[in-house]
Amino acid sequence: MLATSGEVLVACGLEDAWALFNRFDEVATLIPTLKAIEFKGDEIWATMGVQLGVISVTSKVMLQVVHIAPWRITAEGWSFLGETIHTQINKNGPAGLEKDAKGKITIHLELEPVNGVGVLVKYAAEVDAFGRLKRIYQSILKTKAPPLMEEFAERLRAALDIGVDISLTSLEGPPL
């Protein structure tokens, strides 16, 4: 299983941060790789895109919130490879990588109050994929995740009208 996680300290109240994270359409706009989003009942469908060297990786992601409790949200779903990478890696289709390949995704969010300072927003994502798809995800996590997570942290700070410059990010760390 591949994992990435991060934390960002925001100078706002716990209720303000919680309210933002319960407006999924607004939170989605904070994700740097988001290209499009659609809500279908309880499902959130998104198109995500990232440039991996000369290859433009675009995939569909479907998530459902599976657990919501005060200050914690967990969503699970699937990331579908899509046509783009299947056709760009090898015109005949790469061995061991089907165009309908998918990875299981779990996303965790936790808000923790920091007395007199604000709220520590902890987020983590886990992807369970195999074979060549796993190697593609590993490459994305290694090369793209750190700057994308920092951009997410900056957007989160801006959304909550704050200017705290504390951001902690770790790759391959333990899930929340």
Side-chain angles (χ1 to χ4, degrees):
M1 182 170 308
L2 304 171
T4 185
S5 63
E7 298 177 331
V8 60
L9 181 62
V10 294
C12 70
L14 189 59
E15 291 79 13
D16 292 331
W18 184 246
L20 172 65
F21 281 102
N22 279 279
R23 296 189 305 267
F24 301 124
D25 55 334
E26 289 182 41
V27 172
T29 65
L30 304 178
I31 300 169
T33 59
L34 181 74
K35 304 296 180 199
I37 190 165
E38 183 178 355
F39 297 89
K40 298 178 182 179
D42 291 342
E43 296 177 346
I44 302 166
W45 285 85
T47 301
M48 312 299 284
V50 64
Q51 193 70 27
L52 190 57
V54 297
I55 299 172
S56 177
V57 179
T58 303
S59 62
K60 292 279 188 188
V61 175
M62 186 284 296
L63 290 170
Q64 286 186 297
V65 174
V66 295
H67 178 75
I68 193 163
W71 326 129
R72 290 187 175 146
I73 298 174
T74 300
E76 293 179 347
W78 298 95
S79 173
F80 301 92
L81 180 61
E83 289 290 325
T84 56
I85 197 160
H86 180 65
T87 57
Q88 289 184 45
I89 289 178
N90 180 339
K91 297 290 183 196
N92 299 320
L97 187 60
E98 300 298 322
K99 65 182 176 183
D100 60 349
K102 61 184 177 180
K104 175 97 168 117
I105 295 179
T106 304
I107 297 174
H108 305 278
L109 169 78
E110 181 179 347
L111 304 178
E112 181 180 305
V114 179
N115 290 337
V117 178
V119 176
L120 185 62
V121 178
K122 299 178 181 182
Y123 45 92
E126 302 161 351
V127 179
D128 201 4
F130 304 94
R132 291 202 56 194
L133 183 58
K134 182 175 183 174
R135 288 195 300 274
I136 291 167
Y137 281 122
Q138 284 173 322
S139 183
I140 291 170
L141 286 177
K142 181 179 179 183
T143 62
K144 298 296 180 176
L148 290 172
M149 290 179 73
E150 183 56 37
E151 186 175 345
F152 172 76
E154 289 171 13
R155 289 178 178 193
L156 180 59
R157 288 186 198 111
L160 293 171
D161 276 334
I162 52 101
V164 177
D165 75 7
I166 297 172
S167 179
L168 310 169
T169 303
S170 65
L171 288 178
E172 299 293 332
L176 295 174

